[in-house]
Amino acid sequence: ARKYSGKPFIYHVHALETDRSGINVNKEIYDLEKYALHSADRIIAVSHFTKNNIVQFYDIDPNKISVVHNAVSRTKVSKKPDLIRKKPDEKIVLFLGRVTFQKGPDYFLEAAAKVLKKNKKD
């Protein structure tokens, strides 16, 4: 696209194969990511963690990478959605994310089990 448009290639990185798979990376995906990262004119990472991983695992110059966090502005929200609860004091615990190594659903389950165990004692 850059070749035909003359526009710079900006690679916006939300996740990496090294994040998703840990030490057991899919080499084909890793190689494609590395090629794209090296080919990009600029890289936007969603966190400093992601930027550091790009530098460490893909050998990219950190000066080529800008960090722009995903975010929601609390001041610009016009109306907060009401949570559906059976009782006003009922607590809700939620895991929201892809069920992948990177998102840590196993940690969530371990933590939820500990909370349940402690709350049953109280």
Side-chain angles (χ1 to χ4, degrees):
R2 173 180 48 205
K3 179 180 174 182
Y4 294 104
S5 71
K7 305 291 184 190
F9 170 30
I10 310 298
Y11 188 169
H12 190 194
V13 181
H14 287 251
L16 299 161
E17 179 60 14
T18 53
D19 298 332
R20 292 183 291 270
S21 301
I23 60 172
N24 300 311
V25 297
N26 179 321
K27 180 130 172 57
E28 288 181 67
I29 293 172
Y30 172 84
D31 289 344
L32 284 170
E33 288 178 340
K34 187 169 185 174
Y35 174 77
L37 289 163
H38 280 272
S39 298
D41 295 299
R42 291 287 300 163
I43 300 165
I44 299 172
V46 296
S47 67
H48 290 285
F49 175 82
T50 299
K51 177 180 179 175
N52 293 338
N53 284 348
I54 292 168
V55 171
Q56 178 182 355
F57 297 115
Y58 296 83
D59 194 31
I60 302 295
D61 178 358
N63 295 316
K64 186 177 179 177
I65 308 167
S66 298
V67 174
V68 179
H69 297 280
N70 289 332
V72 175
S73 172
R74 289 180 180 217
T75 59
K76 293 184 182 181
V77 174
S78 59
K79 181 181 174 187
K80 292 182 181 180
D82 293 326
L83 294 175
I84 300 169
R85 294 184 172 146
K86 294 178 183 174
K87 302 172 190 167
D89 62 341
E90 182 181 35
K91 293 179 174 63
I92 296 175
V93 179
L94 172 69
F95 174 85
L96 181 61
R98 293 185 317 275
V99 182
T100 63
F101 169 82
Q102 175 190 21
K103 299 297 181 182
D106 50 332
Y107 295 125
F108 173 78
L109 292 174
E110 289 174 21
K114 289 179 180 180
V115 169
L116 282 172
K117 188 175 181 179
K118 182 174 179 353
N119 284 344
K120 284 183 181 178
K121 292 179 181 177
D122 293 342

